[in-house]
């Protein structure tokens, strides 16, 4: 690295489930560090985080927010991340740029399972993290029960850093398990040291012993001290906590009430003392990368009304200076963020998280470098879309603006996707759930003045035939003065095996249909198959041109195309047309305790279970594989999440077409007829 990393800084993500109090914790962190003089609240819609209108309307985080504060000579940059699973991509993209993460949760055992996917991501990426058990004023279970529940969903050992002191149901203080000093909380002020509460001595001793034993698993010297009943020095314990937290080997646990600032200062002190410095994080992340230039990575893309495009970046190496050219693009400016407020700076060093303006063509996850041959930093895998809506501009004239607006929308949120479906001709917006898409639609309306109407996407049904027919005759003869039109064909039609598509051939002998007209016959057949007798595209059919006749003056390729259409119109209904539906192959990931419910969910939606197995690198989780009709997929993710505390997910891909059961086919065809026979049905 050619520039010294600024060790006087820390980049910390605040993550955790929806409603755990992350944005409130950010507000408290900014308040106790003096970065803001007055705390806002989510309810009053005046917090530094959740500053987007879409977030304030819903009182929930829908994108990451950055804010900086100085504390004891160290600059902290906090990244407040959404908690809803529907915005997990935002969280994951930001996490790979921080030095540590605070996992915020509530002392409610039934909700602890919602942390499992987040813990797995943090451990897969080896991101150091601490747990802050928030809302301890609402705790109705013993702290040891909460710790036990947390340990069950983490692959890393959790170690209590504090032992809470409760006064009835209220949190009134804590015991630091390193120093064994007790403290009492005071609203709006630092906690005061108080005498050790003797009634908690046994419980505190047990918790401290568990912490030391966990640390001793990674330190032979500490293990020897414990075996010989030697009290380890505080400096040694803190050194072990710093080393093992920094290597993502242990997860320290803290307790507090962010709304009252309880536990926030001890948490800050631990981040200052024990969280890895940016230099340590950079060395780990860049260990296999050799690049002498400035190196940064985009964690988030914003389109703001005031500043246009902003790219939130982590500087891994080198420095950013005003007007720097990265990836061949000149940055328009360098800014520190405080929610929606921008503070322009001329230069920042490695270890900082800042925003660059007007980096056109640069996307979230991209590696930025002054070196044209720079290697690419690993980036987060993009989540697959699982929920869709068909969208139509309310104003027809807005259709020309839609593509450009959606492109910007996808830059801000890479977990969105869109397509113009080839069969149904609908514009389909894909995302991670209903709220996710509603937020995207709100942005289209607010930012780009593109209000949309929506409906569930139509299912791309197909049709095929069950039996063959031969020598189907089609004759097209038209006389309107001058040259007429004449084409005459005989076709054989037969079904093909599922998935074989369409095949056209000819067995013409003697020139009864001249060679130059045969392509017209195939075109006519293909055009008719685009909209079969049931109203849907026809697949898995073979058509053979066997005979015909022509007129030396009036025949043309166009006439033979029309003759072929007439023959297909006569012949295909005789072949027992039948409706086909797309079948997707799904792989559902769920905690083992919900496996039977998920299998019932699949079979209840006409699904077929192919099997299930334990996930080898994720203890207590199963993978279930099955087939599911696409018609049953639309709200599948909604019901799956409701059955699995919100943590169930699935991967899907199209697998094959399958005949629709007769009674269901009748309802679909009746609905299609009611829609005017346009070939599409919901």
């Amino acid at each position: 690295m050619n520039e010294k990393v600024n060790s006087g800084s820390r980049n910390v993500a605040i993550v955790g489930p929806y409603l755990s109090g992350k944005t409130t914790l950010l507000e408290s962190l900014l308040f106790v560090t003096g970065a803001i003089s007055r705390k806002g609240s989510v309810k009053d819609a005046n917090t530094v985080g959740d500053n987007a209108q879409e977030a304030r309307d819903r009182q929930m985080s829908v994108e990451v927010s950055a804010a900086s504060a100085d504390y004891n000579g160290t600059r902290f940059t906090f990244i407040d991340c959404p908690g809803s699973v529907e915005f997990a991509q935002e969280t994951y993209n930001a996490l790979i740029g921080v030095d540590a993460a605070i996992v915020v949760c509530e002392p409610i055992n039934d909700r602890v399972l919602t942390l499992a996917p987040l813990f797995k991501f943090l451990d897969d990426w080896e991101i150091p993290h601490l747990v802050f058990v928030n809302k301890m004023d609402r705790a109705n279970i013993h702290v040891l029960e909460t710790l036990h529940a947390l340990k069950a969903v983490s692959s890393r050992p959790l170690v209590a850093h504090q032992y809470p002191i409760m006064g009835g149901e209220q949190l009134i203080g804590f015991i630091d398990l390193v120093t064994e000093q007790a403290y009492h909380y005071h609203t709006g002020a630092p906690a005061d040291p108080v005498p050790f509460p003797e009634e908690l001595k046994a419980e505190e001793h047990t918790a401290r012993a568990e912490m030391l034993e966990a640390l001793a698993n990674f330190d032979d010297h500490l293990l020897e001290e414990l075996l010989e009943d030697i009290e380890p020095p505080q400096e040694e314990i803190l050194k072990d906590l710093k080393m093992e937290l920094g290597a993502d080997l242990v997860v320290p646990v803290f307790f507090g009430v962010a709304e009252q600032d309880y536990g926030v200062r001890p948490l800050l002190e631990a981040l200052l003392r024990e969280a890895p410095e940016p230099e340590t994080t950079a060395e780990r992340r860049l260990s296999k990368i050799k690049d002498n230039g400035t190196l940064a990575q985009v964690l988030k893309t914003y389109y703001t009304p005031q500043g246009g495009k902003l790219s939130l970046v982590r500087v891994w190496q080198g420095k950013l200076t005003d007007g720097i050219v990265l990836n061949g693009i000149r940055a328009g400016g360098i800014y520190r963020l405080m929610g929606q407020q921008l503070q322009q700076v001329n230069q920042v060093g490695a270890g900082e998280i800042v925003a660059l303006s007007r980096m056109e063509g640069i996307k979230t996850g991209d590696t930025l470098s002054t070196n044209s041959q720079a290697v690419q930093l690993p980036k987060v895998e993009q989540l697959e879309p699982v929920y869709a809506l068909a969208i139509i501009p309310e104003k027809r004239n807005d259709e020309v603006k839609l593509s450009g607006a959606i492109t910007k929308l996808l830059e801000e949120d890479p977990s969105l996707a869109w397509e113009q479906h080839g069969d149904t001709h609908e514009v389909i917006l894909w995302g991670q759930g209903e709220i996710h898409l509603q937020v995207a639609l709100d942005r289209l309306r607010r930012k780009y003045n593109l209000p949309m109407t929506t409906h569930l996407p139509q299912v791309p049904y197909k049709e095929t035939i069950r039996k063959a027919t031969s020598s189907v005759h089609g004759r097209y003869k038209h006389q309107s003065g001058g040259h007429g039109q004449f084409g005459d064909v005989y076709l054989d039609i037969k079904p093909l095996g599922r998935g074989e598509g369409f095949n056209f051939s000819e067995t013409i002998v003697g020139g009864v249909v001249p060679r130059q007209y045969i392509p017209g016959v195939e075109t006519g057949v293909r055009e008719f198959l685009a909209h079969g007798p049931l109203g849907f595209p026809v697949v898995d059919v073979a058509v053979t041109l066997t005979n015909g006749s022509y007129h030396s003056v009036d025949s043309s390729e166009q006439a033979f195309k029309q003759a072929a259409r007439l023959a297909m119109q006569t012949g295909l209904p005789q072949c027992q047309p039948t409706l086909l539906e797309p079948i997707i192959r799904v792989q559902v990931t769920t905690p083992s305790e919900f496996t039977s419910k998920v299998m019932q969910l699949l079979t209840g939606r006409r699904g077929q279970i192919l099997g299930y197995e334990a996930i080898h690198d994720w203890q207590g989780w199963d993978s279930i594989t099955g087939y599911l009709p696409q018609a049953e997929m639309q709200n599948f993710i909604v019901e799956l999440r409701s059955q699995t505390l919100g943590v169930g997910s699935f991967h899907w891909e199209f697998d094959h077409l399958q005949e629709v059961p007769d009674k269901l086919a009748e309802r679909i065809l009746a609905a299609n007829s009611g829609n005017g026979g346009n070939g599409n049905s919901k």
Side-chain angles (χ1 to χ4, degrees), residues 188-255:
D192 281 338
V194 295
F196 192 100
E198 291 299 321
E199 68 275 12
L200 294 179
K201 189 164 188 176
E203 294 179 15
E204 185 273 344
H205 180 77
T206 300
R208 189 170 193 268
E210 289 182 359
M211 175 191 72
L212 294 176
E213 287 168 8
L215 297 176
N217 288 330
F218 309 101
D219 182 349
D220 291 341
H221 184 260
L222 178 59
L223 180 59
E224 289 176 11
E225 288 178 323
L226 297 182
L227 291 174
E228 296 173 11
D229 288 330
I230 298 173
E231 177 64 26
Q234 294 178 16
E235 294 76 14
E236 182 180 1
I237 299 172
L238 290 172
K239 180 182 176 183
D240 280 343
L241 279 166
K242 181 177 179 65
M243 290 179 61
E244 287 151 32
L245 171 63
D248 187 34
L249 295 174
V250 299
V251 182
V253 181
F254 296 80
F255 301 87

Side-chain angles (χ1 to χ4, degrees), residues 404-456:
I406 288 183
T407 298
K408 291 182 178 179
L409 201 65
L410 268 60
E411 282 191 54
E412 284 195 278
D413 186 350
S415 62
L416 292 167
W418 77 294
E419 64 172 321
Q420 177 128 25
H421 200 282
D423 288 338
T424 66
H425 309 297
E426 295 174 307
V427 175
I428 299 176
L429 185 63
W430 284 92
Q432 304 302 314
E434 188 174 9
I435 296 175
H436 185 215
L437 291 192
Q438 290 303 327
V439 167
L441 292 168
D442 281 357
R443 284 179 178 151
L444 280 176
R445 178 171 54 84
R446 281 196 172 102
K447 288 188 175 183
Y448 307 107
N449 193 26
L450 281 172
M452 295 284 152
T453 59
T454 66
H455 60 265
L456 296 182

Side-chain angles (χ1 to χ4, degrees), residues 109-144:
N109 288 1
D110 292 345
R111 296 184 189 173
V112 165
L113 186 60
T114 60
L115 291 167
L118 179 57
F119 276 143
K120 187 171 192 306
F121 181 88
L122 291 166
D123 291 337
D124 286 348
W125 281 81
E126 297 182 340
I127 299 169
H129 51 287
L130 314 87
V131 170
F132 182 75
V133 183
N134 193 23
K135 303 183 182 180
M136 284 295 293
D137 54 336
R138 305 177 196 178
N140 55 8
I141 55 174
H142 195 278
V143 61
L144 295 180

Side-chain angles (χ1 to χ4, degrees), residues 504 506 508 513-523 545 560:
F504 178 82
E506 51 85 14
I508 295 299
V513 176
R515 310 304 299 177
Q516 67 267 30
Y517 300 147
I518 292 177
V521 176
E522 181 176 356
T523 300
L545 173 63
F560 273 92

